[in-house]
Amino acid sequence: MRQRNDDRLAVANVPTNMLCGLLLLGSQLGVDSDRWLAGLRLQRTQLDDPRTRISYRQAIKVIRRALPSLPIDGVGLHMGSSQNGGNFGLLGLAMKTARTFGDAVRIGVDYQRNLGPLMTLTLHEQDDTLALVATAPEEADDVLPFLCEELFASILMLGRELAGEAFSPLCVELAYPPPRYADQYRALFRCEVRFNQPRHAVVVDSRWMQLPFASYNPVTSQQALALCHGQLAGQSRRGETTAAVERLLRPRLRENPQMSDVALAMHLSERTLRRQLADEDTSFSEVHDRMRTELALELLQNPELAIAAIGGQLGYNDAREFRRAFKRWTGQTPSQARTPPP
């Protein structure tokens, strides 16, 4: 049922999709959600950026603050049941273009980390059933009903999009007592829902695994899988402070912000910021250079942008200084990086 609580909870590798959904729901219900982010070095505008990553611990704190202030039962069921394949991005495309429902399920489990899940899914297959079993760290014990509701309702809606409206599990198993709105579970899942069980699981008849998809496209499937693999391989182990510095630097690179500017914005002394970054095995200059490198490489893909103009967007008024810096970062000149190999 539980994973060991460790330093992984402070690694900023969780996309902000769920928090954006919570904030949107709060706005729709007229709830002041600004206090949900207080003291977490997070801003609403940053959460809307698909490049933003936060830590598991930060995500759980926002959820923990949000749930008591939302005036509806079954917040997770509400959020999960509004999902569709588009909410799963590239992973949703890879699943939709798979050969069978079973292939889609295995792809979803294999690449689940691309979506930054707050629960981890494992697939348990038996002769005539399969179970998607969800676990979470002890850190999330107090919000487990919300996490299970959101995850399992999302899986259900994706399953119905892939397999048709007739798709439903054989049963849903949950390790917590039935909430007062337990009837909402049964109405949504259209199956038996068992509470106080030894695990969190969605159990499905294995006959669904053989269902062929009319949308199967071998070329698109392989392309989507390659992109999913690249996303998974590119996940970083950056810490919370590093991610906070990145969020502050990203929109201000043209201004060439200094460490003192960022420390002030984070309400830290330079010494404290330097120490916290060192604890995460990095430094301000390393983070700053990485952000500038990423933006430079992105801008160099536009052949209409002059190299001097690109340097200006990174805070370099002198094109020669930008060229020297870029060569130091990448081992290439900007012109070499822009020119495709023969």
mmCIF file of all heavy atoms in Angstrom, residues 3 25-26 164 207 222 233 242 246 275 305 315 334:
data_model
loop_
_atom_site.group_PDB
_atom_site.id
_atom_site.type_symbol
_atom_site.label_atom_id
_atom_site.label_comp_id
_atom_site.label_asym_id
_atom_site.label_seq_id
_atom_site.Cartn_x
_atom_site.Cartn_y
_atom_site.Cartn_z
ATOM 1 N N GLN A 3 4.730 3.432 -0.235
ATOM 2 C CA GLN A 3 6.129 3.505 -0.603
ATOM 3 C C GLN A 3 6.863 4.198 0.533
ATOM 4 O O GLN A 3 6.297 4.974 1.288
ATOM 5 C CB GLN A 3 6.298 4.317 -1.894
ATOM 6 C CG GLN A 3 5.549 3.741 -3.088
ATOM 7 C CD GLN A 3 5.554 4.700 -4.244
ATOM 8 O OE1 GLN A 3 6.021 5.827 -4.141
ATOM 9 N NE2 GLN A 3 5.012 4.270 -5.357
ATOM 10 N N LEU A 25 -10.914 24.575 -10.832
ATOM 11 C CA LEU A 25 -12.138 24.216 -10.117
ATOM 12 C C LEU A 25 -12.423 25.224 -9.013
ATOM 13 O O LEU A 25 -13.578 25.632 -8.809
ATOM 14 C CB LEU A 25 -11.988 22.813 -9.533
ATOM 15 C CG LEU A 25 -13.187 22.268 -8.750
ATOM 16 C CD1 LEU A 25 -14.423 22.199 -9.627
ATOM 17 C CD2 LEU A 25 -12.867 20.888 -8.171
ATOM 18 N N GLY A 26 -11.379 25.648 -8.289
ATOM 19 C CA GLY A 26 -11.566 26.661 -7.259
ATOM 20 C C GLY A 26 -12.144 27.944 -7.825
ATOM 21 O O GLY A 26 -13.056 28.547 -7.237
ATOM 22 N N GLY A 164 -14.738 2.236 -25.729
ATOM 23 C CA GLY A 164 -16.155 2.460 -25.925
ATOM 24 C C GLY A 164 -16.885 2.695 -24.614
ATOM 25 O O GLY A 164 -16.406 2.345 -23.532
ATOM 26 N N ARG A 207 -10.722 -10.020 -20.899
ATOM 27 C CA ARG A 207 -11.174 -10.063 -22.291
ATOM 28 C C ARG A 207 -11.018 -8.705 -22.976
ATOM 29 O O ARG A 207 -10.849 -8.643 -24.193
ATOM 30 C CB ARG A 207 -12.629 -10.527 -22.375
ATOM 31 C CG ARG A 207 -13.636 -9.538 -21.784
ATOM 32 C CD ARG A 207 -15.068 -10.074 -21.828
ATOM 33 N NE ARG A 207 -16.002 -9.177 -21.171
ATOM 34 C CZ ARG A 207 -16.592 -8.138 -21.752
ATOM 35 N NH1 ARG A 207 -16.338 -7.870 -23.029
ATOM 36 N NH2 ARG A 207 -17.430 -7.379 -21.073
ATOM 37 N N GLN A 222 4.661 4.202 -33.360
ATOM 38 C CA GLN A 222 6.097 4.179 -33.092
ATOM 39 C C GLN A 222 6.652 5.575 -32.860
ATOM 40 O O GLN A 222 7.522 5.779 -32.005
ATOM 41 C CB GLN A 222 6.834 3.496 -34.245
ATOM 42 C CG GLN A 222 6.590 1.999 -34.331
ATOM 43 C CD GLN A 222 6.961 1.281 -33.039
ATOM 44 O OE1 GLN A 222 8.046 1.469 -32.483
ATOM 45 N NE2 GLN A 222 6.037 0.451 -32.543
ATOM 46 N N ALA A 233 13.299 9.618 -20.612
ATOM 47 C CA ALA A 233 14.752 9.666 -20.454
ATOM 48 C C ALA A 233 15.235 11.053 -20.062
ATOM 49 O O ALA A 233 16.270 11.204 -19.407
ATOM 50 C CB ALA A 233 15.428 9.228 -21.754
ATOM 51 N N THR A 242 16.294 24.452 -6.936
ATOM 52 C CA THR A 242 16.723 24.571 -8.324
ATOM 53 C C THR A 242 15.538 24.873 -9.225
ATOM 54 O O THR A 242 15.607 25.755 -10.095
ATOM 55 C CB THR A 242 17.409 23.272 -8.787
ATOM 56 O OG1 THR A 242 18.515 22.998 -7.928
ATOM 57 C CG2 THR A 242 17.890 23.378 -10.222
ATOM 58 N N GLU A 246 14.772 28.189 -11.582
ATOM 59 C CA GLU A 246 14.445 28.073 -13.011
ATOM 60 C C GLU A 246 13.160 28.825 -13.333
ATOM 61 O O GLU A 246 13.077 29.521 -14.352
ATOM 62 C CB GLU A 246 14.306 26.609 -13.395
ATOM 63 C CG GLU A 246 15.620 25.846 -13.406
ATOM 64 C CD GLU A 246 15.425 24.397 -13.782
ATOM 65 O OE1 GLU A 246 14.257 23.972 -13.925
ATOM 66 O OE2 GLU A 246 16.436 23.682 -13.934
ATOM 67 N N ARG A 275 23.796 28.052 -0.548
ATOM 68 C CA ARG A 275 23.887 26.802 0.205
ATOM 69 C C ARG A 275 22.814 25.813 -0.227
ATOM 70 O O ARG A 275 23.088 24.615 -0.398
ATOM 71 C CB ARG A 275 23.749 27.087 1.701
ATOM 72 C CG ARG A 275 23.733 25.829 2.571
ATOM 73 C CD ARG A 275 23.618 26.164 4.050
ATOM 74 N NE ARG A 275 22.475 27.008 4.353
ATOM 75 C CZ ARG A 275 21.220 26.563 4.410
ATOM 76 N NH1 ARG A 275 20.944 25.276 4.182
ATOM 77 N NH2 ARG A 275 20.237 27.386 4.705
ATOM 78 N N LEU A 305 15.833 34.450 -37.269
ATOM 79 C CA LEU A 305 16.350 35.213 -36.134
ATOM 80 C C LEU A 305 17.862 35.357 -36.261
ATOM 81 O O LEU A 305 18.586 34.365 -36.351
ATOM 82 C CB LEU A 305 16.020 34.503 -34.817
ATOM 83 C CG LEU A 305 14.669 34.792 -34.160
ATOM 84 C CD1 LEU A 305 14.519 33.974 -32.890
ATOM 85 C CD2 LEU A 305 14.520 36.270 -33.847
ATOM 86 N N GLY A 315 20.151 38.155 -22.787
ATOM 87 C CA GLY A 315 20.790 39.136 -21.927
ATOM 88 C C GLY A 315 22.162 39.576 -22.382
ATOM 89 O O GLY A 315 22.876 40.251 -21.625
ATOM 90 N N PRO A 334 27.181 29.324 -32.291
ATOM 91 C CA PRO A 334 25.760 29.364 -32.656
ATOM 92 C C PRO A 334 25.523 28.995 -34.116
ATOM 93 O O PRO A 334 24.553 28.296 -34.428
ATOM 94 C CB PRO A 334 25.366 30.816 -32.362
ATOM 95 C CG PRO A 334 26.322 31.267 -31.316
ATOM 96 C CD PRO A 334 27.608 30.578 -31.627
#
